[in-house]
Amino acid sequence: MTIDTVFTELSSMLGDRLSRSKSDLSHHGGSETHFAPAPPDAVAWPETTDEVSRILHLCHAASVPVIPYGAGTSLEGHTSAPMGGLCIDMSRMNRVVSADPGDMIAVVQPGVTREELNHELRALGVFFPVDPGANASIGGMAATRASGTTTVRYGSMRDNVLGLTVVLADGRIIKTGSRAAKSASGYDLTALFLGSEGTLGIMTELTLRLHGVPEQISAGICAFPDMASAVGAVQQVIQMGIPMARIEFVDADTARAFNGYAGTDMPECPHLLVEFHGSPTAVAEASEAFGEIATDFGATGYEHATRTEDRNALWKIRHHAYYAVLSLRPGAKAVVTDICVPISKLAEAITETQADIAASGLMGPILGHVGDGNFHAALLIEDGNEPEKAAAKDLAARMSTRALAMGGTITGEHGIGMGKLGLMGAEHGPAWSVMGDIKTALDPKGILNPGKLVPQG
Amino acid sequence: MTIDTVFTELSSMLGDRLSRSKSDLSHHGGSETHFAPAPPDAVAWPETTDEVSRILHLCHAASVPVIPYGAGTSLEGHTSAPMGGLCIDMSRMNRVVSADPGDMIAVVQPGVTREELNHELRALGVFFPVDPGANASIGGMAATRASGTTTVRYGSMRDNVLGLTVVLADGRIIKTGSRAAKSASGYDLTALFLGSEGTLGIMTELTLRLHGVPEQISAGICAFPDMASAVGAVQQVIQMGIPMARIEFVDADTARAFNGYAGTDMPECPHLLVEFHGSPTAVAEASEAFGEIATDFGATGYEHATRTEDRNALWKIRHHAYYAVLSLRPGAKAVVTDICVPISKLAEAITETQADIAASGLMGPILGHVGDGNFHAALLIEDGNEPEKAAAKDLAARMSTRALAMGGTITGEHGIGMGKLGLMGAEHGPAWSVMGDIKTALDPKGILNPGKLVPQG
């Protein structure tokens, strides 16, 4: 069977839900960041698990590459099609199949976005907590083992997905996990597929763990004289076990960018943003304890609020950080990268990264989920300026090397895709080849999202 | 190379740390519960990762089965050697390599027991929370993805192991995970090895997540008129998000057994035991909220205490439950089994199980970690009475089938071993063969803990 026969068969199966139009190919082969376009040969929009199974059965027979596609918010080139093939766009499988606040469980299709899901859950008094910032699809978040601002309290996708329906490379359909809160029954296939970036199978249904909407939410922000003081405060509140729902760091450059972007006049120095969830008593107690520690570390102007509109106002800098940072250099693109280190190494990792960025001459504000030891640099480059792009990628690679030397990881939440493939050997050593062995066992023809994550032929 | 050549080489490598004495073989091939003895041909006590690697290299070359052994507290025959071979007893690799309260991380060898570890951590103000009851080894707990009384608050081994050093079947040494709190870097090999029951590799070092010793601990107990009321209260407190560190159920039979065993006069009805961790304010608030809900569900006599000796007194029934239950039938052995269901199905699962046990004529008290939907039955059988043993195993199998019909799992924490191998197909369907594919990819000769967990040739 040739690739054209496959597309002909798919076309008769899917009708206008198979496209080979230039604009569809170009849209699905693009990237939010700096990756060169790498379009697929066709795009399919399946509507059921059974359709995904039939599509994979055909592609497997003809060895056609298959690239799953969610909301396209990936930062490491996960959805590029460097070997062509079929992009499977999951956006039509976007239903909340069921939501059960009694068991704190929702069953969803992968194409539903985080915001759509929480919109549907609102009336039930429950929510899905993982928040990577972008309005990503739940399937994409699962495929990259996403985390984000609330991970310090609620965990990442690893902690909030109980089970999956997965279509394997050859079209077989399996189910992993269950609706029980835990299990000791066999290999943890759910965890294996989470973070596998579409290289082991395509998720078509996810069983998610929900959480009760907190009785009260309190948010706060304060300014620090320097980065070391802010990070010192983070280390202290983590060690004290003060229950935080979010704790975010933005550096002085981000504050400056925000002032320019939003016309505000916040102090152009490092800030911490925090949020507390719980009973009014617990929230007040935690907020007060945080304020005391922050003050001990030299923080000033600790403002906090419980009303939604006031909280949103305090957190505005975080929500608009990406576009504010881009506005520092009009027309620029960003090489956005992330690393994660043990909390005791956080100040050292940020200091060395800031020095490295300064020496490069590029602009690169730093911000992140510091409660997890996870931070981002948004390295601004002129669109089309190849030397700048190379310099930014070198900086990002040095950040990863630094994270490894400190006992950390090359990515806390963005994943590997094509962007960090070259660093996998350094992080995992011979364990990387074990990942390759698992890939070969599950996808012997290598059709699933080729060119990503595992050692390449 | 023959098995005898292997043992001769191992003997010259390990000296008296290799044994073929009858008592050592018999001790390592036995079981705490009802499994028939299945001794290995030899027992080795390695002291380093490198020794484990050399042992596996030799056994791999000669296709000698290898069975890892921790503290021997498994309940499903995990350490039996049905095909003979070499038992690797990890008890001499029992060091706490490092403990770092700044990062809330400890690095330990697999042979250290839970109690030894917490004894070493005490002075640092941190602890390792996973508590399966028995004083198991940390390696054994990781291999079975153990959980227990505190999982409702702190998670299971899945949530509290950050990284591993693993020796693969052929002797290769790999490292998984890192010291960072999270990672999106590649397949989650740590999670794959957790719960793999020694069938994919032998863990020789574990990086653990620690937690701060809570400022205050409050424990409580109350009696309910019937099981449905107790479980109703559990569902309510879980839905309300009341932060509990433990919530345990014991049934009326267990209470009666305890009265006989300890000479107490507690009401012979179902009880809930709870524990709260946090600041004095938070603990008081949670305990009060629990007490109100329990009372709404008909609970009486809610006693709670914060002093260690008073808390231990309140929880005495839970700590002594196993031996109290065994004393209901002097000389009896127990078929101990566990299942885990969604919390909304818990009352139904317990009711049907109790009726099934009553109809069988066996005694089988029920108790468990109800906050997770996880409960145990200890089915008492006369030692050597094969019809009773068969009846108990049938009962246990029906519990599993019932759990699956309710969307649950055949084991919340005891694992598969040999005891539940026959139920894996029913739970996992074609996903079980995927587990088999992974096993074959990592251990093509099938030397690691054969006869357990994966589909058998």
Side-chain angles (χ1 to χ4, degrees), chain A residues 19 33 39-40 48 86 102 127 136 138 142 166 181 191 229 251 312 349 360 395 403:
Chain A
S19 169
T33 56
T48 63
L86 179 71
F127 75 115
I138 296 294
V166 178
S229 317
D251 73 357
N312 288 346
S360 77
L395 266 172

Side-chain angles (χ1 to χ4, degrees), chain A residues 120-410:
Chain A
E120 288 213 29
L121 295 177
R122 199 165 301 161
L124 304 173
V126 290
F127 75 115
F128 184 69
V130 185
D131 174 7
N135 187 23
S137 70
I138 296 294
M141 287 165 61
T144 51
R145 202 157 66 234
S147 51
T149 55
T150 62
T151 298
V152 69
R153 161 82 179 249
Y154 297 99
S156 72
M157 292 304 280
R158 184 184 197 272
D159 309 295
N160 289 288
V161 179
L162 290 167
L164 299 169
T165 300
V166 178
V167 180
L168 299 177
D170 59 8
R172 271 180 301 160
I173 299 166
I174 63 167
K175 292 192 179 225
T176 74
S178 77
R179 292 173 67 90
K182 65 184 189 185
S183 173
S185 174
Y187 302 160
D188 191 345
L189 296 182
T190 306
L192 182 64
F193 285 104
L194 295 174
S196 67
E197 303 186 354
T199 64
L200 294 178
I202 297 188
M203 303 170 191
T204 59
E205 202 167 273
L206 303 95
T207 302
L208 306 178
R209 191 192 293 273
L210 306 177
H211 298 261
V213 172
E215 195 184 345
Q216 184 155 95
I217 300 177
S218 165
I221 185 169
C222 55
F224 286 85
D226 50 45
M227 184 276 294
S229 317
V231 172
V234 172
Q235 288 168 338
Q236 183 84 9
V237 291
I238 293 278
Q239 269 180 46
M240 301 280 290
I242 293 170
M244 290 169 299
R246 308 183 202 244
I247 181 161
E248 296 284 306
F249 169 80
V250 297
D251 73 357
D253 284 347
T254 307
R256 183 165 60 85
F258 186 68
N259 281 340
Y261 179 79
T264 46
D265 61 350
M266 60 191 293
E268 297 189 352
C269 61
H271 286 71
L272 287 180
L273 295 90
V274 286
E275 199 171 276
F276 306 97
H277 294 179
S279 72
T281 319
V283 159
E285 186 180 42
S287 178
E288 190 182 332
F290 171 81
E292 280 171 18
I293 291 171
T295 307
D296 286 349
F297 280 85
T300 51
Y302 180 46
E303 284 186 84
H304 48 110
T306 55
R307 289 199 324 157
T308 308
E309 51 274 40
D310 301 337
R311 287 191 280 112
N312 288 346
L314 291 183
W315 269 67
K316 208 171 163 197
I317 180 175
R318 184 66 186 89
H319 296 137
H320 294 271
Y322 184 63
Y323 293 103
V325 162
L326 279 180
S327 75
L328 278 177
R329 188 173 177 185
K333 282 226 156 189
V335 172
V336 182
T337 191
D338 87 307
I339 60 171
C340 193
V341 296
I343 198 99
S344 66
K345 304 288 187 185
L346 186 57
E348 191 182 340
I350 296 179
T351 302
E352 292 185 13
T353 300
Q354 286 178 326
D356 201 8
I357 294 172
S360 77
L362 291 176
M363 263 189 293
I366 283 176
L367 64 166
H369 318 309
V370 281
D372 306 324
N374 182 205
F375 67 91
H376 311 264
L379 305 165
L380 299 180
I381 58 174
E382 188 186 24
D383 200 8
N385 184 329
E386 289 303 321
E388 281 199 359
K389 183 163 149 184
K393 287 168 83 172
D394 286 350
L395 266 172
R398 287 196 297 276
M399 281 175 66
S400 285
T401 310
R402 204 172 288 130
L404 294 179
M406 294 176 180
T409 175
I410 59 176

Side-chain angles (χ1 to χ4, degrees), chain B residues 407-451:
Chain B
T409 176
I410 59 175
T411 172
E413 56 180 14
H414 295 174
I416 302 306
M418 305 211 300
K420 283 184 170 165
L421 191 60
L423 296 157
M424 285 292 279
E427 173 156 3
H428 299 287
W432 195 30
S433 73
V434 173
M435 296 184 201
D437 294 341
I438 293 169
K439 165 74 172 174
T440 304
L442 269 67
D443 177 20
K445 292 185 169 186
I447 66 166
L448 288 171
N449 215 2

